[in-house]
């Protein structure tokens, strides 16, 4: 029984090694870090060109960087801080953020983000335009619940050694809240990667079992 238990434990460990994990290539994807100087609403208005949020630059228009003690009935989807791309002006053009990451030419990547909406502030769907180098797409979220967060993913292939990631708010009508949080970019493993590691792990496990029997 002890031998069988050991085999199971070793198998779990090997399987864990077989699953490749990748760190977020974006710095500060949940907007937790930087020089946050809150106003009375535990928010900070950032103008175009601002770099107060570690890793990010504000583009297109001003936005609101919102903290956990805000009075708006809103909270982050990840961590304690999040963005409102409508800022305090609450109309188009809406704000965005940008950051450049290192990439491998021909490499496949997946971008993930959370869009926030809330019926007290949004009367219609809001969107975020996502741009990764020359690739782009638009994600739209319809406000159904208070402090609602919806996750979207976007796959792209890098065409250079660095890729600019931009996320910009959009809406067809004047809306008071376009939330953004929990942004990440991770490499997508090559199709044979898991099989390679998994096969090696299986061979190691079989070899260990034979050694034990001997």
């Amino acid at each position: 029984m002890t031998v069988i238990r050991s085999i199971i434990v070793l198998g779990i460990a090997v399987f864990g090694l077989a699953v490749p994990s990748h760190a977020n290539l974006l710095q500060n994807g949940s907007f937790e870090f930087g020089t946050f100087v809150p106003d009375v609403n535990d928010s900070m208005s950032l103008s175009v060109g601002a770099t107060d949020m570690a890793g990010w630059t504000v583009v297109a228009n001003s936005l609101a960087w919102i903290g956990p003690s805000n009075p708006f009935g809103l909270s982050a989807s990840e961590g304690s801080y999040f963005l409102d791309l409508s800022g305090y002006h609450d109309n188009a053009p809406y704000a965005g953020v940008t950051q450049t990451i290192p990439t491998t030419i021909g490499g496949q990547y997946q971008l993930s983000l959370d869009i926030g909406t809330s019926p007290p502030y949004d009367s219609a769907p809001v969107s975020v335009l996502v741009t990764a180098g020359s690739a782009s797409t638009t994600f739209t979220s319809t406000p159904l619940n208070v402090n609602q967060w919806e996750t979207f993913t976007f796959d792209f292939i890098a065409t250079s050694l660095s890729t600019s990631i931009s996320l910009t708010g959009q809406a067809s009508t004047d809306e008071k809240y376009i939330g953004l949080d929990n942004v990440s970019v991770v490499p997508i493993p090559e199709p044979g990667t898991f099989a390679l590691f998994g096969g090696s792990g299986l061979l190691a496990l079989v070899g260990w079992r034979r050694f034990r029997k001997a």
Side-chain angles (χ1 to χ4, degrees), residues 5 16 21 26 44 50 63 72 81 103-104 108 111 121 123 126 203:
R5 185 180 295 112
S21 61
L26 285 168
M44 183 178 181
L63 58 76
F72 309 126
Y81 295 82
T103 49
T104 300
Q108 298 185 52
L111 185 152
Y121 306 104
S123 59
V126 300
L203 288 174

Side-chain angles (χ1 to χ4, degrees), residues 26-36 46 50-57 65 97-99:
L26 285 168
Q27 180 184 356
N28 194 24
S30 289
F31 311 107
E32 299 297 299
F33 306 107
T35 306
F36 184 70
L46 299 178
T51 56
D52 301 73
M53 295 180 296
W56 297 99
T57 299
W65 186 13
V97 288
T98 186
Q99 182 175 153

Side-chain angles (χ1 to χ4, degrees), residues 117-144:
T117 57
S118 194
Y121 306 104
D122 297 315
S123 59
V126 300
S127 303
V128 172
L129 170 63
V130 179
T131 302
S134 59
S136 65
T137 191
T138 299
F139 293 118
T140 300
S141 182
T142 300
L144 301 174

Side-chain angles (χ1 to χ4, degrees), residues 162-174:
S162 62
T163 300
S164 177
I165 305 296
S166 298
L167 306 108
T168 307
Q170 295 185 333
S172 58
T173 57
D174 290 343

